[in-house]
């Protein structure tokens, strides 16, 4: 009942020409598959190119971040209104790199989530613990805080589009992946926290993605787990064949 979502986070890679080269090669590779939704999240300068390339294909385009204001004197930022105008349907919120390098906090994540839902964007809210937090047994405390603050004041009736991505920070770009058992535990815990905040019905329909060194050879095992509803992929989403394999291997 939860359709898997496989999202590519290209981070600060690919010019518009490189994005076009990617979509030209990638889209035919996934044209026949229907089991998963696919979202490509390029940097802002490639968003118009990707939106145009995916039109009519069933693949969606997403932003990697946004501001929570509709407009204003916020130099360098992009608003949900602007994403709507471009035809962007998804937005990643609170990625650990945004938290680490750009001062994003659980409070700004909450404001951005509210703005995304108000503007009809599908929010992909990222949570996840650092290595020291896992090693000192604090993973669930961290997840509880991140999820509960992100969801504070969210109307369950408006929360249907919500997607959460569990990305253990120590697994991002490191080649280390959470074991299926670690991921299963974290996803189950996150779903219980969603239930506490928004009720059992929303918790049961919310997709929880796993992110952190997802590759073609581990996607199937991760996506087969009951509470894992797809993947948020960084490095391995930059090559069309590799990302297409992840999409195809995620069919369970
Ligand atoms: P990697 O797949 O490169 O580990 O990145 C994960 C990530 O941060 C996706 O948002």
């Amino acid at each position: 009942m939860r359709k898997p979502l496989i999202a590519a986070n290209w981070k600060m890679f690919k010019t518009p020409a490189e994005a076009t080269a990617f979509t030209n090669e990638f889209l035919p590779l996934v044209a026949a598959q229907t089991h998963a939704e696919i979202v490509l999240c390029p940097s802002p300068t490639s968003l118009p190119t990707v939106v145009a390339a995916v039109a009519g294909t069933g693949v969606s385009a997403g932003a990697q971040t946004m501001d929570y204001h509709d407009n204003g004197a916020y130099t360098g930022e992009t608003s949900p209104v602007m994403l709507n105008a471009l035809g962007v349907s998804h937005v990643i919120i609170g990625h650990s790199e945004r938290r680490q390098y750009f001062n994003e906090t659980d409070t700004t994540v909450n404001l951005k989530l509210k703005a995304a839902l108000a503007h009809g964007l599908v929010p992909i809210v990222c949570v996840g613990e650092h290595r020291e937090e896992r090693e000192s047994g604090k993973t669930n405390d961290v997840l509880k805080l991140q999820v509960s603050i992100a969801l504070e004041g969210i109307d369950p009736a408006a929360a249907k589009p919500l997607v959460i991505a569990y990305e253990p920070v120590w697994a991002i770009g490191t080649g280390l992946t959470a074991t299926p058992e670690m991921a299963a535990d974290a996803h189950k815990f996150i779903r219980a926290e969603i239930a506490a905040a928004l009720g059992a019905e929303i918790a049961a329909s919310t997709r929880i993605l796993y992110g952190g060194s997802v590759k073609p050879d581990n996607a199937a095992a991760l996506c087969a787990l009951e509470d894992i509803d797809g993947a948020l992929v960084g490095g391995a989403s930059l090559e069309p064949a590799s990302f297409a394999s992840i999409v195809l291997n995620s069919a369970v």
Side-chain angles (χ1 to χ4, degrees), residues 70 91 126-127 147 153 157 173 189 226:
D70 285 2
V91 60
C126 301
V127 297
V147 173
F189 182 82
E226 186 188 331

Side-chain angles (χ1 to χ4, degrees), residues 1 7 10 13 16 28 30 52 56 60 67 92 139 147 153 157 160 166 173 176 178 183 195 203 220 229 234 245:
M1 83 183 162
W10 287 351
F13 292 97
V30 295
S60 303
D67 194 73
I92 299 171
T139 298
V147 173
K160 269 230 146 54
Y166 169 60
L176 300 171
D229 310 308
S245 294

Side-chain angles (χ1 to χ4, degrees), residues 117-171:
L117 292 172
H119 289 279
L121 293 160
V122 177
I124 303 173
V125 175
C126 301
V127 297
E129 81 286 0
H130 288 264
R131 186 169 55 84
E132 314 77 66
E133 293 166 336
R134 172 161 289 274
E135 286 172 355
S136 57
K138 295 205 181 94
T139 298
N140 285 356
D141 295 342
V142 170
L143 296 176
K144 188 183 187 70
L145 207 62
Q146 289 176 333
V147 173
S148 61
I149 298 177
L151 300 183
E152 221 165 75
I154 300 292
D155 176 6
K160 269 230 146 54
L162 175 68
V163 177
I164 303 272
Y166 169 60
E167 297 207 308
V169 179
W170 51 269

Side-chain angles (χ1 to χ4, degrees), residues 75-90:
T75 301
E77 292 296 318
T78 307
S79 80
V81 174
M82 294 164 181
L83 295 179
N84 280 338
L86 271 187
V88 170
S89 54
H90 293 63

Side-chain angles (χ1 to χ4, degrees), residues 165-200:
Y166 169 60
E167 297 207 308
V169 179
W170 51 269
I172 294 177
T174 57
L176 300 171
T177 318
T179 62
E181 191 184 20
M182 282 177 191
D185 285 352
H187 282 234
K188 195 168 172 213
F189 182 82
I190 290 168
R191 201 174 299 287
E193 288 303 308
I194 300 169
L198 301 175

Side-chain angles (χ1 to χ4, degrees), residues 36-54:
E37 284 176 29
I38 303 170
V39 188
L40 302 178
C41 303
S43 62
T45 58
S46 292
L47 268 174
T49 309
V50 170
V51 168
V54 300

